[in-house]
Amino acid sequence: MKHGYVKAAAMSPKIRVADPKYNAGEIIRQAERAAAQGACVIVFPELCMTGYSCGDLFEQELLLREAKEQLFVIAEKTAGLNAVIFAGLPLDYMGSLYNTAAVVCKGNILGIVPKVFLPNYAEFYEARYFSRGMKKTVPVTLRAGVTVPMGTDQLFVCETMPALRIAAEICEDVWAPSPPSIGHALAGANLIVNLSASDEVTGKDRYRRSLITGQSARLLCGYVYANASDGESTQDVVYAGQSMIAENGVLLKEAPRFANEPAISEIDVEKLNAERRRMSTFEPAGLQDYTVTNFSLEMLDTGLTRFVDPAPFVPGNKKDRDSRCEEILSIQAMGLKKRLEHTGCGHAVVGISGGLDSTLALLVTVRAFDLLGLPRSQIHAVTMPGFGTTDRTYENAVQLIETLGAAFEEISIREAVGMHFADIGHDPTVQDVTYENSQARERTQILMDLANKCNGMVIGTGDLSELALGWATYNGDHMSMYGVNASVPKTLVRHLVRYFADTCGSKVLSEVLFDILDTPVSPELLPPKEGEISQKTEDLVGPYELHDFFLYYILRFGFVPEKIYRLAETAFAQNYDSGTILKWLKTFYRRFFSQQFKRSCLPDGPKVGSVAVSPRGDLRMPSDADVRIWMDEAEKLSVNAG
């Protein structure tokens, strides 16, 4: 439960229809199995104490009485488990029978949640036996001295982890046009459990999967769906145990059908709460008539089995990745197209270094010009060799420009920068920040003045990762008239260029793009060593794959350093040791806070994803905010990093 992770289990025991004692034994056994794996929220199927398929046997007093007695057996036998358990049983109240979920924790029965929507079609005749559940809770006496609330409008809140707020609905409830879970979520529930007995027919598994993941997305919640398995199969219906765990539209785990297997995974309630805070249209309705029941669990360190993607900006599946790349290229190009149309600019000026960012900027500019029907010759692609330019990057830049059909221009900056050094009294043998930034600013001056000369627009090349780290020369490569890469992280830039190489249909262009992809990332501001790049960005500021990972979880969810560090250890276990991860995490925080002043005056650029740093909407951060509390927590982690 540490860091907001709640391990949940959706169980599908193989029960016997109309045998509550046997079924209670199976429920206890599987609850112990789930708890042994760290599950602290354990959900069983609808009416699992008796079986959903009892039919007219639900009218037998002995069956109902035995189910109620076995509820107490379950409570007693699971008292030592660090878990809250949801199990289904038929329950009589005031002369009516209800299809209910009992909530049990550490020997206590916390409450009873009845089903609201009762199917009465095909092979399901629930309305023949059961009454519609009441919303507002009523006191139900289960035995002498044991009275609990029963009603749909209940929240079960963990005292030791108040961020965990659970509510329940039963099977058909979620299929209804207005499910109870909507009210539950607006009342504060961030984990919805569903006890279900949904039979198997062709194609129904796909619909269930879509329904559950969609509901978790709509409600910004975790959703645990426990479905009945083949122990229920009788007469004309078969059950397959398709249990699922979803989180905000993502299917974390699905049990294989026809296998009586559980679905177990971790739900991140801190992440869900962060999403709700960001979503202004998620308007909590308050508790109103809800009954809140507290329970207590021991705060254990939940082991993670869920996949932690080391590249959160990049889809892992090639088909999805290609689709994402095409979409992003279109967004970038359409944004630039609009700016060119609005300003009446028929020319664009792009500085081409032979690196990834300027390559992507040129590819986007070409696409925008094609959309406008403008000749590519009106794209002024400028190479500006300096003290650090290598033959490889220069030749790639030239070949890229010529292959794309842009207008090639070459302007060396060596002499101009040398004169500038003389003007300001800088010794060119001192290769410090002045030495480097003078080159970057000279290049920007050239591009701006060329744009004036041709009535064009300077297209910015800097990417999101560089902006996050402040890895840009203020009023140098930091500045442009429209930054097409401003919200594209470095890890995604690489895939966009690779996608273009794979789909361009030109062998020559593809070859040069792949060579650019193989070139180390560098600003090339220091002289080469034996003709090779001497200044590698990732040696200086750290691996971009780590920084993009940090950036995603800091801006997207506001996670604390300790949690991000833990996630990074999981995601990059095969690539980096803990000390390396922590070193660059500290670097990220230090640079991210100290360099906000550069982001506060960014040029316009198209937003392509949920994480961006535009000061006009996405990141309204004070330039002089203090990083102390984040660094203090990061420093404490160093004790555990060795």
Side-chain angles (χ1 to χ4, degrees):
M1 297 174 68
K2 191 176 180 182
H3 300 133
Y5 290 110
V6 175
K7 190 180 288 285
M11 312 302 288
S12 297
K14 187 169 184 177
I15 65 162
R16 294 177 182 172
V17 177
D19 190 346
K21 185 175 182 179
Y22 174 85
N23 297 340
E26 284 298 291
I27 290 168
I28 293 164
R29 185 179 65 82
Q30 292 216 15
E32 291 172 342
R33 173 188 175 190
Q37 296 181 57
C40 59
V41 177
I42 306 173
V43 187
F44 289 92
E46 179 179 14
L47 295 171
C48 58
M49 290 188 211
T50 58
Y52 179 81
S53 306
C54 287
D56 282 3
L57 293 179
F58 283 125
E59 296 177 349
Q60 295 295 312
E61 174 66 25
L62 183 59
L63 182 72
L64 303 180
R65 188 172 66 205
E66 182 66 16
K68 189 186 297 185
E69 286 304 310
Q70 292 304 317
L71 172 59
F72 283 93
V73 173
I74 292 170
E76 178 186 352
K77 297 294 186 181
T78 61
L81 303 183
N82 188 49
V84 58
I85 299 168
F86 294 78
L89 79 160
L91 187 68
D92 62 316
Y93 170 72
M94 300 292 287
S96 295
L97 188 62
Y98 295 88
N99 179 345
T100 73
V103 188
V104 175
C105 184
K106 296 192 173 180
N108 298 310
I109 301 170
L110 304 181
I112 303 291
V113 179
K115 188 173 184 177
V116 178
F117 296 99
L118 305 173
N120 202 37
Y121 53 84
E123 67 276 14
F124 303 111
Y125 301 106
E126 284 189 47
R128 178 183 176 101
Y129 316 110
F130 300 107
S131 296
R132 180 186 178 97
M134 67 289 292
K135 286 174 63 65
K136 189 173 181 179
T137 59
V138 296
V140 176
T141 300
L142 300 178
R143 64 162 51 156
V146 181
T147 299
V148 300
M150 181 169 81
T152 61
D153 290 357
Q154 294 192 71
L155 287 186
F156 301 91
V157 179
C158 183
E159 291 180 323
T160 45
M161 184 182 177
L164 174 59
R165 301 180 295 273
I166 311 173
E169 61 186 359
I170 301 175
C171 197
E172 193 80 9
D173 287 346
V174 73
W175 300 66
S178 182
S181 50
I182 294 177
H184 298 338
L186 295 178
N190 49 25
L191 177 55
I192 307 295
V193 302
N194 187 312
L195 296 75
S196 182
S198 179
D199 69 325
E200 213 59 37
V201 293
T202 302
K204 195 173 181 180
D205 63 315
R206 294 189 296 274
Y207 185 85
R208 270 193 300 260
R209 188 180 303 115
S210 174
L211 179 67
I212 299 309
T213 54
Q215 190 70 347
S216 74
R218 182 185 188 188
L219 301 183
L220 296 174
C221 72
Y223 203 104
V224 182
Y225 180 84
N227 198 13
S229 62
D230 66 339
E232 288 278 11
S233 301
T234 185
Q235 294 177 316
D236 301 324
V237 289
V238 172
Y239 296 85
Q242 185 192 16
S243 295
M244 293 171 277
I245 299 177
E247 177 188 283
N248 192 19
V250 176
L251 185 65
L252 299 178
K253 191 73 174 182
E254 179 177 348
R257 291 188 296 161
F258 309 106
N260 298 105
E261 288 297 318
I264 302 177
S265 189
E266 303 81 41
I267 293 169
D268 188 346
V269 296
E270 284 185 359
K271 181 178 177 181
L272 293 168
N273 290 343
E275 289 279 46
R276 289 184 176 184
R277 287 195 299 268
R278 288 166 53 92
M279 185 72 72
S280 61
T281 52
F282 188 91
E283 299 179 347
L287 291 173
Q288 296 178 348
D289 294 329
Y290 270 75
T291 296
V292 177
T293 302
N294 293 320
F295 63 94
S296 182
L297 297 175
E298 185 180 354
M299 288 288 288
L300 301 176
D301 192 355
T302 304
L304 296 184
T305 60
R306 58 188 276 165
F307 175 64
V308 180
D309 194 341
F313 289 107
V314 183
N317 176 276
K318 186 179 187 303
K319 181 179 179 181
D320 292 340
R321 187 166 59 247
D322 287 351
S323 175
R324 178 79 59 85
C325 287
E326 177 61 31
E327 182 180 29
I328 289 173
L329 286 168
S330 296
I331 292 171
Q332 290 177 282
M334 291 301 289
L336 178 57
K337 172 179 176 288
K338 171 64 177 179
R339 179 54 55 89
L340 292 168
E341 285 178 319
H342 179 71
T343 57
C345 285
H347 294 257
V349 179
V350 192
I352 305 300
S353 67
L356 279 172
D357 290 343
S358 64
T359 296
L360 178 58
L362 181 57
L363 295 174
V364 169
T365 304
V366 165
R367 182 178 280 215
F369 268 60
D370 290 349
L371 289 169
L372 286 166
L374 293 173
R376 295 184 181 182
S377 58
Q378 290 177 202
I379 301 172
H380 303 261
V382 188
T383 63
M384 294 168 282
F387 305 128
T389 302
T390 60
D391 291 342
R392 180 181 185 182
T393 55
Y394 172 78
E395 290 168 5
N396 279 340
V398 173
Q399 190 170 8
L400 176 70
I401 295 166
E402 292 178 346
T403 304
L404 288 171
F408 171 75
E409 297 187 38
E410 180 178 333
I411 302 173
S412 173
I413 66 168
R414 295 186 182 94
E415 184 177 348
V417 174
M419 293 175 61
H420 181 60
F421 287 160
D423 290 340
I424 65 174
H426 181 72
D427 182 352
T429 64
V430 179
Q431 295 173 359
D432 58 4
V433 67
T434 303
Y435 180 91
E436 295 185 27
N437 286 350
S438 294
Q439 297 174 69
R441 292 194 178 101
E442 177 62 27
R443 286 180 170 130
T444 299
Q445 175 178 269
I446 290 170
L447 296 175
M448 290 289 182
D449 292 344
L450 280 175
N452 290 154
K453 183 179 177 183
C454 68
N455 189 31
M457 178 179 297
V458 177
I459 309 304
T461 62
D463 63 49
L464 176 63
S465 307
E466 292 178 342
L467 292 171
L469 293 166
W471 192 251
T473 300
Y474 193 87
N475 207 35
D477 52 313
H478 158 261
M479 193 48 59
S480 67
M481 295 169 184
Y482 194 77
V484 292
N485 298 337
S487 67
V488 183
K490 186 75 77 176
T491 48
L492 191 52
V493 169
R494 183 171 296 279
H495 285 281
L496 289 166
V497 173
R498 179 173 286 111
Y499 170 75
F500 208 102
D502 289 338
T503 60
C504 65
S506 166
K507 182 180 178 182
V508 175
L509 178 57
S510 180
E511 286 178 352
V512 70
L513 290 177
F514 277 117
D515 196 60
I516 290 170
L517 284 163
D518 289 337
T519 304
V521 177
S522 172
E524 290 195 317
L525 296 173
L526 296 179
K529 293 181 180 178
E530 300 179 356
E532 298 296 323
I533 290 171
S534 64
Q535 187 183 25
K536 297 179 181 179
T537 299
E538 291 181 290
D539 290 345
L540 301 171
V541 296
Y544 275 117
E545 61 180 344
L546 282 178
H547 287 311
D548 283 357
F549 185 89
F550 302 152
L551 174 66
Y552 179 79
Y553 285 104
I554 289 170
L555 289 192
R556 186 72 176 81
F557 303 111
F559 286 172
V560 299
E562 184 180 12
K563 184 169 183 175
I564 294 171
Y565 174 54
R566 178 186 180 184
L567 288 169
E569 282 188 305
T570 302
F572 295 100
Q574 305 303 315
N575 298 33
Y576 302 101
D577 60 53
S578 297
T580 300
I581 292 170
L582 183 58
K583 170 189 173 182
W584 295 121
L585 179 61
K586 292 177 182 178
T587 297
F588 183 91
Y589 274 109
R590 184 172 58 252
R591 293 192 65 96
F592 182 75
F593 273 78
S594 68
Q595 302 294 299
Q596 172 61 18
F597 73 97
K598 294 179 182 177
R599 298 186 291 267
S600 291
C601 56
L602 281 180
D604 291 347
K607 179 179 179 178
V608 304
S610 59
V611 176
V613 293
S614 167
R616 291 166 291 277
D618 293 288
L619 184 63
R620 301 187 182 188
M621 175 179 168
S623 297
D624 303 302
D626 201 309
V627 71
R628 183 189 60 80
I629 62 173
W630 289 270
M631 291 301 292
D632 283 352
E633 180 166 311
E635 290 296 338
K636 291 176 184 177
L637 297 174
S638 61
V639 177
N640 303 318

